[in-house]
Amino acid sequence: MFNYWRRSLSARLWVSSVATLTVSLCIIAGLVTFSLMHFPPQTWQRDADMRFAQRVAAALVFDANGRPSAVKLDQSTAWLYSAAKADLMYRVLDDEGRILLSSQPEQHHEQWGNGDLSGAADTHRDMDIDTRPFDLVTIEVRRGDAWFFVQSAISADIRKELLGLKVRSIPWIVAWTLLIAVVTFGFTLTFTMRRVLRPLRQSSRAAALITPFNLQARLSSEGIPSEIQPLISAFNEVLSRLENGFIAQQAFLASAAHELQTPLTLIRGQIEMQPEIKDKDLLYREVDLMSRQVRQLLHLTEVSETQNFKVQEVDCVAVVEDAVRYLFRKAQAKHVTLKVETLAAPSPIIADPSALFILLKNLIENAINVTPVDGSVLVKVGETSISVNDSGYGINPEYLPFLFQRFWRAPDANHDGAGLGLAICREISSAHRWAITIAPLAIGTAFTLWFDSAATSATSVA
């Protein structure tokens, strides 16, 4: 599982995107924190200083003559001016510089400076009160035709503390923002990647369904990203070449089998007509073996093309009985007992009766070949399966992966054959979506044809 995700394109894109976002946000957060920590506090506090003066101006109460008579601050601002008297001060002046209202005793005012304030409106000025640095903010207030000035003085110490309260919370805000952004981006990217890669998964599933029986199928390029379309096109071209090669191979096998059938018949006829030929039985055996191999090649060619099948409703028991009658003489010649046992009345199936006959004939014939003299072959017909049980010596487990390969024969086989019988069985069962299983018995082996492939549970499945 780990190796799968390590090689996964979506996982790589997800990790790289999230890592890029995380690094970018960390850099931004670092720059913000660096700026807050290293730039002068005045840069970040001047707007707050101006707001203190604006609060005082907004809290002015004017008398009937239009002159400021009192300052009614809100509770929090009034508490600040009361608790930090030595660090936070204000005064209100008229246009001639006379002090009308003040939060401090008069002895401090001479250090604030007096004179014409018309040019000092909306300005900041650094000054010292009792040798302590302050920021003096001056704003003008108009009442009718009269002009008044509000000045607010804030010490460097309290400005630093106020700024510290803001700055201390920023790293946590940045950290939580970073975490939420990364998590949200990660979840969003997951769904986005699934949507973007959906056409690739569909193409992958479509490619997995392509078999020798549907080589004419092609992968659709609809919805495929432009970067992947050349790969889809190349894969479809490979399928075309493979289809053409498969058609040529099937045509060659069919042609070769047809061309060999007639000469073999003529050879057998010539042997029968010439009495002077010795060891006729040996020659007949070889000619019959070659004829059998030619017939198997023809069968293999026919069953490899699904359009050759003519499906209809088939009675399994009748086909089994036909196959047993066909091979009865072969079993009798080997002194092998051939029996049929119907365990349950099977329902008719939809299949090609000739193909089913060939499949059962090959399984029964193989069972007769491997069964010793005076042995028995039992064909069991069930509701969803047909089992052929021989009484031979069993199958070497090492041979199981190769049994259904074309032209493969066991090294210790003691009967004639070309190694095509089980390959033909596999082609027929695959075309009908059946399954063939192999299971060892106490004596011999059971080959079972399952019409319901989901019910299989045996040693080997074809």
Side-chain angles (χ1 to χ4, degrees):
M1 179 62 72
F2 173 75
N3 289 332
Y4 169 80
W5 286 110
R6 185 168 59 87
R7 299 189 186 97
S8 171
L9 174 62
S10 58
R12 292 181 181 180
L13 291 175
W14 189 91
V15 171
S16 60
S17 300
V18 171
T20 301
L21 175 68
T22 304
V23 171
S24 301
L25 291 178
C26 287
I27 292 174
I28 294 172
L31 291 175
V32 171
T33 304
F34 178 84
S35 300
L36 292 173
M37 294 299 183
H38 292 81
F39 281 86
Q42 292 83 351
T43 306
W44 306 98
Q45 190 61 28
R46 284 192 181 273
D47 288 341
D49 295 350
M50 180 65 72
R51 284 195 293 273
F52 274 111
Q54 291 170 348
R55 289 180 190 177
V56 174
L60 285 176
V61 178
F62 295 88
D63 59 17
N65 297 323
R67 295 177 64 80
S69 61
V71 177
K72 291 187 178 181
L73 297 168
D74 59 83
Q75 185 175 359
S76 60
T77 306
W79 180 85
L80 281 174
Y81 276 102
S82 174
K85 292 181 179 180
D87 297 285
L88 193 58
M89 317 171 197
Y90 70 81
R91 68 178 184 175
V92 181
L93 304 93
D94 59 14
D95 55 355
E96 295 180 0
R98 292 190 294 267
I99 300 173
L100 304 178
L101 299 170
S102 175
S103 64
Q104 292 294 322
E106 294 185 4
Q107 62 265 26
H108 289 295
H109 294 306
E110 60 185 23
Q111 301 180 56
W112 290 42
N114 294 309
D116 186 11
L117 299 176
S118 59
D122 299 325
T123 61
H124 292 261
R125 180 168 64 86
D126 293 331
M127 68 173 187
D128 291 336
I129 298 178
D130 295 335
T131 69
R132 296 173 59 211
F134 279 74
D135 179 35
L136 179 64
V137 179
T138 302
I139 62 174
E140 60 182 2
V141 179
R142 184 174 182 178
R143 182 73 174 183
D145 295 332
W147 289 89
F148 303 95
F149 295 90
V150 174
Q151 289 186 321
S152 175
I154 305 173
S155 71
D157 295 333
I158 197 170
R159 295 175 73 216
K160 185 176 181 180
E161 289 300 322
L162 292 174
L163 180 63
L165 291 174
K166 298 176 182 179
V167 172
R168 277 195 292 272
S169 61
I170 288 177
W172 287 102
I173 295 173
V174 170
W176 279 106
T177 302
L178 179 64
L179 178 61
I180 293 172
V182 171
V183 172
T184 303
F185 181 77
F187 278 111
T188 304
L189 185 63
T190 299
F191 291 108
T192 303
M193 292 301 302
R194 287 181 63 84
R195 185 174 182 83
V196 170
L197 296 178
R198 184 183 301 169
L200 293 182
R201 290 194 295 272
Q202 293 173 345
S203 297
S204 178
R205 286 193 291 268
L209 296 176
I210 296 176
T211 67
F213 302 106
N214 62 339
L215 286 177
Q216 70 279 4
R218 296 294 182 268
L219 300 184
S220 173
S221 60
E222 183 178 355
I224 298 295
S226 302
E227 294 81 0
I228 307 297
Q229 284 189 358
L231 177 62
I232 300 298
S233 300
F235 185 82
N236 287 334
E237 291 176 4
V238 170
L239 284 178
S240 298
R241 292 194 293 270
L242 184 62
E243 181 185 11
N244 294 334
F246 187 77
I247 293 173
Q249 180 193 51
Q250 296 301 103
F252 170 77
L253 288 176
S255 300
H258 280 292
E259 293 297 327
L260 288 172
Q261 188 102 21
T262 302
L264 288 173
T265 303
L266 293 175
I267 290 173
R268 184 179 178 87
Q270 288 294 328
I271 294 173
E272 292 176 349
M273 294 172 58
Q274 296 184 21
E276 68 274 10
I277 296 179
K278 299 179 181 180
D279 298 326
K280 284 189 175 183
D281 290 339
L282 178 60
L283 292 175
Y284 287 150
R285 179 176 174 274
E286 293 297 328
V287 172
D288 290 342
L289 178 60
M290 292 182 65
S291 297
R292 179 170 177 268
Q293 292 176 353
V294 168
R295 286 195 301 273
Q296 286 186 327
L297 281 175
L298 283 172
H299 290 158
L300 186 61
T301 304
E302 291 173 357
V303 302
S304 296
E305 296 290 340
T306 54
Q307 63 266 23
N308 293 331
F309 293 117
K310 298 178 180 179
V311 297
Q312 62 188 60
E313 194 173 89
V314 177
D315 182 0
C316 299
V317 176
V319 177
V320 169
E321 291 175 349
D322 287 344
V324 169
R325 278 196 299 270
Y326 182 84
L327 295 169
F328 179 75
R329 288 189 179 181
K330 180 180 179 70
Q332 194 175 39
K334 279 201 65 178
H335 300 284
V336 172
T337 303
L338 190 55
K339 297 183 291 185
V340 178
E341 180 180 343
T342 303
L343 303 177
S347 302
I349 63 171
I350 302 300
D352 184 312
S354 299
L356 179 59
F357 174 81
I358 293 172
L359 189 155
L360 294 175
K361 178 187 74 70
N362 287 349
L363 290 180
I364 297 171
E365 188 174 17
N366 278 356
I368 294 173
N369 288 335
V370 300
T371 298
V373 177
D374 298 328
S376 64
V377 173
L378 176 62
V379 182
K380 295 182 178 181
V381 182
E383 186 175 355
T384 59
S385 65
I386 298 175
S387 178
V388 179
N389 301 350
D390 63 60
S391 54
Y393 299 106
I395 300 175
N396 189 330
E398 296 179 357
Y399 300 160
L400 291 177
F402 311 104
L403 284 180
F404 294 92
Q405 291 184 5
R406 298 184 180 188
F407 302 105
W408 186 86
R409 283 173 50 82
D412 53 0
N414 55 9
H415 58 275
D416 296 327
L420 290 173
L422 289 179
I424 294 172
C425 293
R426 183 182 65 175
E427 296 289 344
I428 296 173
S429 65
S430 298
H432 287 80
R433 298 186 183 277
W434 300 334
I436 300 175
T437 63
I438 306 170
L441 303 174
I443 299 176
T445 306
F447 281 75
T448 304
L449 172 65
W450 298 88
F451 301 118
D452 181 7
S453 59
T456 59
S457 59
T459 304
S460 179
V461 180

